[in-house]
Amino acid sequence: MAKQTQSYNAEIKQLLDLMIHSLYSHKEIFLRELISNASDAIDKLKFESLTNAKLLPENYQPSIRLEADKEARTLKIIDNGIGMSKDEVVEYIGTIAKSGTKKFAQMNDELKKRPELIGQFGVGFYSAFMVADEVTLHTQKAGEDNGVVWQSNGDGTYTIDEVPRPGGVGTTITLHLKKFADDEEVQDFTDAFVLKSTVKKYSDFISYPILMKGEKDDEVLNTQKALWLKSPSEVTADEYNEFYKHLTHDWNDPLKQIHYKAEGTLEFNALLYMPAKKPWNFNQREMEYGLSLFVKRVFIMSDCKELLPTYLRFVKGLVDSADLSLNVSREILQKDRQLTQIRKNVTNKILSALKEQLKDNREAYESFWTEFGATLKEGIANDSGNREKIQDLILFRSTVSDKWTTLDEYVNRMTANQKEIYFITGDNLNQISKSPYLEKLKQKNYEVLLMVDPVDEWVTQSLTEFKGKKIQSVTSSGLELDTEVEKKQKEEERKSFEERLKPLIENLKNGLKDQVKDVVVSDRLTETPVCLVSDKNDPSAHMQKLMSQMGSDYATSTKRILEINPKHALFDHMVSLSSDEQMKWADILYSQALLTEGSTLPDPVKFSRQIADLMVEVSQKKMNS
Ligand code: ADP
């Protein structure tokens, strides 16, 4: 193959531009990123060789080597890991993962303000361009006998060529270091002392030796202690944070780590992290999740899904088991009972760590909740075994204040008369906090939980009780807010209203027979004339909307009940209209009810015309009188 020149796609160009021109501080992290990649590559080679011993050279000694040349201003990072094929170089080094490109373009402005967010895109390799004006990557994949040279000076193109690599399998990255002005205060990365202290700071835990030529022999720069095997008291916060960055390629510090050793029938070490922020591709279909799995310090796989329930998919970290066989394949893993037990154990640990944080550091917990609360809540529906634990961890907004509340705190605030826990679901806080369904509860001084996550519809179907109190939707037709005495009184009132409005109600029912199940008099409303409620066991309006967004036509088949507020002046007037007119108005009332609950109108043009007609009618009457 002849040497080829190729252009980067637009996103990579933008990314490089940001790297080169916007990221001023912490330029030394490029070394962490390249050493991390080298260490991952050795992990992969060792894992592949478990099932294909031929891949390992004789007397294989994994290593990562740094070679600096002060005169030539070059720094080489050399590993004997798995290497890359030509296709892999093109795929991994020349593009941002397809799914990331769109997001990257959307975030471009944000990135200009906060360039450190770049780390989220898994662009570790490109960080080399923060310090280098030319980068050469020479790699050879295990099992292949030709190598690939990739070269770029970060300006928009790269070249690629096939050349055997002198050292055989592995990867060499050569950086030609830029000249920085003195006032830019960039360290000299050909200086042995600088390299040593950078490795010490960011990469000490890497489990393979990081070597550099010393005066006589090779010098090992890192202690290689597997962080997760140490006791937590021996690990500093910085070490935990750096290890997190190595593991996840996130450039931000995590919110919290959970580090423990399980002993007894099941023996393993776990080091788990709660990220501070959602990764950019969180909840996208191709998002990988799960923990890294090690067996007796040997890396087996990353993103092992069997180790985490889906509702904890935001957790990052690793498990190192002493019991599993080294000779495991992904297929076997899926059925492994030990993994199931580890998952249970890890799940418990995470849930109790969250409980502790909620108790001890509310602020940190709330920040966690804002990022991952909606995900954790899925556990209420998906993990019935842990529902009781998860329900204590949920935070809600409510009508009492704009702060978060737990169910427990809500129950403690309940007034003597209040029997149940009330909630309302919808698209956004502003809209549901003004909902007419809250009118009567406000009058009674009852707090209502405001739920706006799509998952809340499912949560409230599984979470129907807390501490013996029913959890009740305020839009359900079964809502009973009154005491026995009040009920009796109102029942009589209702009867007399019903008696008086009987012909009107019949006409409304007739006019709306295709839209609603029933029309009834209610005392739920104080200011609004009408609202729609779901029959006791029917899905709520919001649920129906979500279902239809998801493509289910189940939504359209469930009719609801129109409740009218008999004390509203509107109905005093309506009784005196002709039947025809009443039926015509019924349609407008129904549209109003839809609008009040935040639903969209099936025919907004018609509604607008009806209102205009009414306005004309009223003005004409005024003129004629
Ligand atoms: P990330 O490491 O976050 O995936 P990078 O841009 O640093 O992103 O690397 C992209 C991919 O290139 C890696 O996932 C890996 O597959 C490959 N790669 C990078 N460096 C090496 C290396 N030294 N040896 C083998 N493969 C590598």
Side-chain angles (χ1 to χ4, degrees):
M1 185 194 92
K3 187 159 154 178
Q4 294 174 344
T5 302
Q6 311 209 354
S7 295
Y8 292 116
N9 60 26
E11 287 74 29
I12 297 280
K13 275 188 204 152
Q14 284 174 7
L15 184 110
L16 283 170
D17 199 58
L18 279 167
M19 282 279 177
I20 297 169
H21 299 115
S22 313
L23 277 174
Y24 303 110
S25 57
H26 302 299
K27 286 189 190 285
E28 74 275 16
I29 62 163
F30 83 91
L31 194 60
R32 169 186 84 194
E33 296 298 313
L34 298 181
I35 289 177
S36 261
N37 283 350
S39 156
D40 291 349
I42 297 172
D43 278 344
K44 280 181 206 157
L45 179 61
K46 290 185 75 171
F47 177 67
E48 292 289 321
S49 68
L50 291 176
T51 46
N52 183 1
K54 279 188 298 213
L55 292 180
L56 276 199
E58 252 176 72
N59 299 323
Y60 180 64
Q61 301 283 347
S63 74
I64 301 163
R65 181 177 285 280
L66 305 183
E67 274 180 25
D69 183 334
K70 242 188 176 52
E71 305 287 284
R73 299 190 54 77
T74 58
L75 172 66
K76 291 185 180 179
I77 296 101
I78 306 164
D79 70 66
N80 54 1
I82 195 155
M84 280 177 274
S85 66
K86 181 170 171 249
D87 289 347
E88 286 170 338
V89 172
V90 172
E91 188 181 338
Y92 298 145
I93 304 294
T95 44
I96 302 185
K98 265 206 189 69
S99 51
T101 20
K102 208 167 125 212
K103 179 76 179 177
F104 184 79
Q106 287 165 354
M107 281 182 66
N108 205 8
D109 287 338
E110 175 84 10
L111 283 168
K112 278 192 188 122
K113 276 178 256 152
R114 295 173 56 205
E116 68 281 5
L117 292 178
I118 288 178
Q120 294 188 3
F121 288 90
V123 291
F125 173 77
Y126 288 101
S127 60
F129 287 101
M130 294 197 295
V131 294
D133 48 24
E134 185 180 84
V135 178
T136 311
L137 173 138
H138 198 170
T139 184
Q140 186 163 323
K141 172 117 180 176
E144 294 186 10
D145 37 46
N146 207 355
V148 185
V149 176
W150 175 101
Q151 191 172 53
S152 174
N153 38 32
D155 59 358
T157 61
Y158 61 88
T159 61
I160 192 157
D161 198 2
E162 274 173 310
V163 184
R165 181 173 175 270
V169 170
T171 302
T172 303
I173 292 169
T174 309
L175 310 179
H176 183 266
L177 299 168
K178 282 190 231 185
K179 275 210 163 74
F180 290 100
D182 284 348
D183 62 349
E184 288 186 86
E185 291 181 5
V186 179
Q187 294 165 294
D188 175 4
F189 294 107
T190 59
D191 185 278
F193 178 77
V194 170
L195 291 173
K196 274 185 212 172
S197 54
T198 312
V199 168
K200 193 91 216 139
K201 180 165 173 201
Y202 293 108
S203 313
D204 193 52
F205 50 79
I206 293 286
S207 34
Y208 309 110
I210 303 171
L211 305 172
M212 199 169 66
K213 254 213 160 42
E215 308 251 303
K216 272 204 249 123
D217 298 314
D218 278 344
E219 209 177 323
V220 183
L221 309 187
N222 57 330
T223 59
Q224 302 166 57
K225 275 214 184 123
L227 204 69
W228 61 90
L229 298 181
K230 291 187 179 179
S231 117
S233 61
E234 293 170 43
V235 187
T236 67
D238 274 352
E239 285 174 321
Y240 276 130
N241 289 350
E242 285 311 324
F243 187 71
Y244 165 79
K245 291 173 189 172
H246 162 69
L247 209 60
T248 61
H249 301 280
D250 185 353
W251 289 15
N252 299 305
D253 286 340
L255 187 70
K256 179 186 172 66
Q257 75 274 342
I258 305 166
H259 181 188
Y260 73 104
K261 184 181 168 92
E263 275 162 324
T265 46
L266 201 61
E267 244 180 71
F268 66 90
N269 289 272
L271 177 50
L272 315 171
Y273 292 95
M274 305 283 169
K277 290 268 168 236
K278 275 191 198 116
W280 65 272
N281 62 344
F282 195 67
N283 280 349
Q284 287 184 14
R285 198 171 300 160
E286 78 293 339
M287 185 192 82
E288 299 278 9
Y289 76 91
L291 303 175
S292 293
L293 175 65
F294 288 72
V295 174
K296 302 183 194 78
R297 290 196 64 180
V298 177
F299 170 82
I300 303 295
M301 65 190 291
S302 51
D303 307 312
C304 179
K305 291 191 173 63
E306 285 70 33
L307 290 173
L308 271 185
T310 51
Y311 67 93
L312 295 178
R313 61 187 172 276
F314 48 84
V315 176
K316 301 285 180 188
L318 66 83
V319 162
D320 189 345
S321 155
D323 304 326
L324 283 165
S325 140
L326 263 178
N327 235 332
V328 280
S329 70
R330 277 175 195 250
E331 292 68 42
I332 294 175
L333 280 176
Q334 277 164 10
K335 300 188 212 96
D336 197 292
R337 272 192 54 238
Q338 294 200 43
L339 284 202
T340 316
Q341 284 171 331
I342 297 178
R343 178 175 67 222
K344 271 198 183 142
N345 185 299
V346 162
T347 304
N348 276 333
K349 203 76 182 183
I350 296 169
L351 294 178
S352 44
L354 287 172
K355 185 174 174 185
E356 219 166 88
Q357 187 163 44
L358 172 61
K359 197 167 83 198
D360 299 342
N361 188 346
R362 180 71 174 233
E363 199 185 335
Y365 188 81
E366 289 185 359
S367 134
F368 153 78
W369 183 262
T370 324
E371 292 294 314
F372 301 114
T375 312
L376 178 63
K377 268 192 284 193
E378 293 169 16
I380 291 282
N382 299 345
D383 186 357
S384 50
N386 282 311
R387 187 173 300 151
E388 301 234 326
K389 286 186 194 156
I390 303 169
Q391 69 193 18
D392 290 335
L393 296 173
I394 309 188
L395 299 184
F396 297 95
R397 296 292 186 186
S398 92
T399 46
V400 156
S401 76
D402 53 9
K403 294 207 180 74
W404 291 107
T405 179
T406 63
L407 282 174
D408 205 40
E409 290 159 355
Y410 177 105
V411 169
N412 287 338
R413 280 190 299 268
M414 281 170 70
T415 51
N417 289 335
Q418 186 180 345
K419 302 268 178 310
E420 299 174 324
I421 298 170
Y422 301 109
F423 72 90
I424 180 166
T425 55
D427 288 336
N428 66 69
L429 282 179
N430 187 26
Q431 183 198 57
I432 58 175
S433 59
K434 289 182 195 140
S435 165
Y437 298 92
L438 303 183
E439 287 171 8
K440 194 167 162 192
L441 290 107
K442 273 184 198 151
Q443 249 184 3
K444 293 210 167 247
N445 245 332
Y446 290 172
E447 179 172 4
V448 180
L449 299 172
L450 306 170
M451 304 193 186
V452 292
D453 283 327
V455 64
D456 289 329
E457 290 292 348
W458 282 269
V459 170
T460 50
Q461 287 191 356
S462 310
L463 184 64
T464 50
E465 232 185 73
F466 180 79
K467 291 201 169 164
K469 308 252 181 312
K470 259 184 81 187
I471 302 184
Q472 168 82 15
S473 164
V474 301
T475 63
S476 148
S477 67
L479 188 70
E480 283 187 10
L481 298 174
D482 296 320
T483 59
E484 289 306 313
V485 185
E486 282 173 317
K487 252 199 262 178
K488 263 215 181 97
Q489 215 174 29
K490 291 206 173 140
E491 188 53 26
E492 272 159 34
E493 210 179 57
R494 197 175 60 88
K495 277 205 183 114
S496 86
F497 277 126
E498 252 174 10
E499 206 50 42
R500 191 161 65 84
L501 299 175
K502 204 170 182 179
L504 172 65
I505 289 177
E506 280 311 309
N507 281 330
L508 292 179
K509 272 189 205 169
N510 268 335
L512 295 173
K513 63 177 179 302
D514 294 334
Q515 288 99 321
V516 301
K517 254 188 196 175
D518 203 359
V519 178
V520 299
V521 162
S522 120
D523 72 333
R524 182 193 303 265
L525 303 167
T526 57
E527 289 143 41
T528 315
V530 280
C531 69
L532 284 162
V533 296
S534 303
D535 210 353
K536 265 199 186 93
N537 297 316
D538 285 349
S540 73
H542 186 238
M543 177 68 148
Q544 292 185 30
K545 192 162 135 191
L546 291 174
M547 300 284 281
S548 80
Q549 276 166 0
M550 283 162 44
S552 158
D553 40 314
Y554 161 70
T556 42
S557 58
T558 333
K559 288 188 200 163
R560 288 178 309 132
I561 299 170
L562 184 77
E563 290 194 357
I564 65 174
N565 170 6
K567 291 181 187 153
H568 199 286
L570 174 64
F571 298 103
D572 290 337
H573 290 285
M574 268 186 92
V575 284
S576 56
L577 296 176
S578 74
S579 293
D580 278 353
E581 274 177 311
Q582 285 181 351
M583 306 245 277
K584 200 169 87 193
W585 283 34
D587 209 32
I588 300 180
L589 281 175
Y590 178 67
S591 298
Q592 281 185 322
L594 284 175
L595 285 176
T596 338
E597 69 178 8
S599 295
T600 46
L601 297 181
D603 189 349
V605 177
K606 180 175 162 205
F607 177 68
S608 142
R609 224 182 39 228
Q610 286 170 325
I611 295 288
D613 287 350
L614 264 188
M615 290 160 98
V616 171
E617 233 172 82
V618 174
S619 351
Q620 270 172 350
K621 274 196 187 136
K622 275 229 162 105
M623 275 177 9
N624 295 343
S625 60

